[in-house]
Amino acid sequence: QVVLVESGGGSAQAGGSLRLSCAVLDYYSKSACMGWFRQAPGKEREAVALTRVHGTFYSDSAKGRFTISQDDDKKTMYLQMNNLEPEDTAMYYCAASRQTWCPLVTAPGIVRLFNYWGQGTQVTVSS
């Protein structure tokens, strides 16, 4: 069982920055797809950014503002969020798949393609 632990959420003003971290505990394939998702109240969980070996993928809302990265040993994943907007307010989750390929960020049912989830960290952006 892969355990994921997020940290780094909090409050920020519009235009500000936050950095989320996801620690991967126990064994996990370094070549598998991992990603950040978010869920705002009353909305479905959506993919924000995905990463695998030699590839990163972003939602339209994250492009140009968010950056997903991992440590060389793939034990920690990050989401650097810049130029935050109130619409970014949500619970953010890191997730890991058993697959070595990443689905399209907009793939229907993408949540079901990820096998392991963290407990989430809240991000609140005020205007």
Side-chain angles (χ1 to χ4, degrees):
Q1 180 70 19
V2 176
V3 177
L4 307 175
V5 181
E6 301 101 334
S7 61
S11 299
Q13 296 280 342
S17 299
L18 285 172
R19 189 193 197 201
L20 307 183
S21 299
C22 174
V24 182
L25 307 182
D26 213 333
Y27 171 79
Y28 182 65
S29 170
K30 295 182 179 181
S31 61
C33 181
M34 293 188 66
W36 287 97
F37 291 71
R38 68 185 182 187
Q39 187 166 18
K43 294 189 176 181
E44 292 187 356
R45 192 170 298 189
E46 63 176 358
V48 175
L50 306 177
T51 185
R52 60 174 295 278
V53 176
H54 304 309
T56 56
F57 313 94
Y58 297 93
S59 66
D60 286 344
S61 63
K63 281 178 185 175
R65 300 188 300 126
F66 295 1
T67 303
I68 188 172
S69 62
Q70 291 177 285
D71 284 348
D72 288 344
D73 62 2
K74 302 295 190 285
K75 297 297 285 185
T76 307
M77 181 175 66
Y78 305 96
L79 185 68
Q80 177 66 43
M81 303 186 294
N82 298 328
N83 195 20
L84 284 162
E85 302 170 352
E87 293 75 20
D88 296 318
T89 296
M91 185 73 78
Y92 283 71
Y93 300 88
C94 70
S97 169
R98 288 194 285 260
Q99 307 297 332
T100 56
W101 51 269
C102 282
L104 291 175
V105 173
T106 55
I110 186 174
V111 170
R112 296 194 298 271
L113 301 177
F114 285 78
N115 308 98
Y116 310 105
W117 293 85
Q119 81 287 354
T121 185
Q122 178 68 37
V123 170
T124 303
V125 183
S126 57
S127 56

